[in-house]
Amino acid sequence: MEAIVGFLHSKLFSIIVTIAITVLIVYVERRVFRRIKQIRNSVYVGFLQSMLEAIIVIMGIVSLTRLSTQADTFVNTMVLSSSVIVVVLGFIFQEGTKNIIHGFFISIYRPFEVGDRIKVTADGRVIDGYVESLTLRHTIVRNVITNVTEIIPNSVLDGLSIQNFSRLGHEANIPNVGTDENGNLLSTDKLIIEVTYESDIDRAKEIMRNVVTSHPLFVDYRKDKSKPFPVYMEDLGLNGIDLSILVAGEDRAAVYVEMCEDRENIYREFNKAGVEFAYAHMQILGDLNITKHKEA
């Protein structure tokens, strides 16, 4: 009995309890954020989760150091030498601090969301893929060409020009454009078709809507399905009008196949309906007189 009581009052038991509590808190925190991500899987949610986990781990390490007399003395000495610790930590964690600060700004201004397809050029290399998560240190992007995971430091990504091909859904106030009704991550891409100014725009929109939404691989990400699926007039170009529709699927391969078949079906339906695709051409207005000269 005395041995048990002695063990309960020993530093080893305190260390075990501290580690167990830290692991338990991290476990509960991850379960809570897993539920939150099912409702709203956003970049700031992932960033906040990474920050809380880092704080919990740091507090656990500090608690462990307090259990050791030597470690506690060392920590107190370093804290008293504030100027030294600031210089040392600033030098050691300079890059990490930059990534945390830039990750904070990315999570606040949100140039992209989880599930968005973005394209950036880093170190002369083009990265085109879907955003999977944002952490304290880096952003994870799944490359659609190589299907590999691209880990981009937040300090690097925050200074790049980002093309977001899924931004249309957010600007149109479509909630959870990157997830389905169950919170599962979806792949999205924007299908753009250019038609002539003389074409029937309403008919063109109707054809695009019917073709895309009737595809077997199509996933309707909207919560409110009472209205027709949106087709947007995205741009007025030199040759015609850009009509766009957001295509969603269970994964990148499904979206790729879906968009290829959608283009073919839209081409056939446009030809039947007399809707013309835009192309570079010259139109001459006014009278044209052709004079034939006799050869000498």
Side-chain angles (χ1 to χ4, degrees):
M1 188 67 180
E2 294 180 358
I4 297 176
V5 174
F7 174 73
L8 294 177
H9 289 84
S10 66
K11 291 184 178 180
L12 178 60
F13 178 76
S14 300
I15 292 173
I16 294 174
V17 171
T18 302
I19 295 176
I21 292 175
T22 303
V23 172
L24 178 62
I25 294 175
V26 171
Y27 173 77
V28 173
E29 174 261 338
R30 289 183 177 179
R31 291 291 298 270
V32 171
F33 273 95
R34 189 180 305 168
R35 294 290 183 88
I36 294 175
K37 287 180 179 180
Q38 291 178 353
I39 302 174
R40 177 60 174 168
N41 190 10
S42 180
V43 290
Y44 66 82
V45 175
F47 183 82
L48 179 60
Q49 180 183 5
S50 299
M51 180 173 290
L52 286 179
E53 284 188 6
I55 293 174
I56 293 170
V57 172
I58 291 173
M59 292 179 63
I61 294 174
V62 172
S63 299
L64 288 175
T65 58
R66 294 295 181 182
L67 297 175
S68 173
T69 306
Q70 292 81 3
D72 190 28
T73 304
F74 174 76
V75 171
N76 291 333
T77 304
M78 293 298 294
V79 170
L80 292 176
S81 305
S82 58
S83 59
V84 176
I85 192 172
V86 168
V87 173
V88 172
L89 292 180
F91 178 78
I92 296 176
F93 300 108
Q94 180 180 8
E95 192 63 30
T97 304
K98 286 172 57 180
N99 288 325
I100 294 174
I101 294 174
H102 287 280
F104 173 76
F105 285 114
I106 291 175
S107 66
I108 292 297
Y109 294 103
R110 289 186 290 173
F112 51 79
E113 284 288 358
V114 173
D116 282 3
R117 181 176 178 179
I118 65 173
K119 180 185 289 186
V120 297
T121 302
D123 298 328
R125 190 168 63 89
V126 177
I127 299 175
D128 185 356
Y130 292 90
V131 178
E132 292 190 343
S133 64
L134 171 67
T135 67
L136 287 178
R137 181 185 177 277
H138 54 258
T139 300
I140 300 177
V141 179
R142 176 69 65 175
N143 197 312
V144 296
I145 300 175
T146 61
N147 201 34
V148 300
T149 299
E150 304 280 357
I151 300 177
I152 310 174
N154 293 331
S155 59
V156 174
L157 185 61
D158 195 28
L160 298 178
S161 176
I162 302 174
Q163 298 182 46
N164 190 332
F165 298 99
S166 304
R167 178 54 63 181
L168 176 63
H170 305 307
E171 292 176 348
N173 294 322
I174 301 174
N176 295 336
V177 71
T179 57
D180 61 12
E181 294 178 346
N182 299 320
N184 299 319
L185 185 65
L186 293 175
S187 293
T188 58
D189 206 345
K190 188 163 56 175
L191 177 61
I192 301 177
I193 302 294
E194 189 177 12
V195 300
T196 61
Y197 285 100
E198 295 77 18
S199 297
D200 186 343
I201 302 301
D202 293 332
R203 179 59 178 153
K205 285 186 174 183
E206 181 183 0
I207 292 174
M208 290 180 62
R209 179 184 300 110
N210 293 337
V211 168
V212 172
T213 56
S214 62
H215 196 281
L217 298 177
F218 175 74
V219 177
D220 193 346
Y221 50 80
R222 302 172 302 160
K223 289 186 175 180
D224 183 9
K225 298 180 177 60
S226 60
K227 299 179 180 179
F229 198 83
V231 180
Y232 301 95
M233 183 183 293
E234 184 165 305
D235 194 13
L236 302 176
L238 294 176
N239 301 318
I241 301 173
D242 287 343
L243 300 178
S244 66
I245 185 170
L246 197 63
V247 180
E250 294 182 354
D251 51 40
R252 289 171 289 277
V255 173
Y256 174 77
V257 172
E258 182 181 352
M259 292 184 65
C260 290
E261 295 180 354
D262 284 343
R263 292 188 184 96
E264 181 178 351
N265 294 330
I266 289 173
Y267 170 76
R268 298 180 187 278
E269 294 299 323
F270 273 13
N271 286 339
K272 293 179 183 179
V275 179
E276 296 182 349
F277 289 93
Y279 59 93
H281 61 282
M282 180 180 296
Q283 183 177 6
I284 301 177
L285 302 177
D287 297 330
L288 178 64
N289 296 322
I290 303 176
T291 303
K292 183 178 181 181
H293 297 277
K294 295 181 178 180
E295 296 181 359

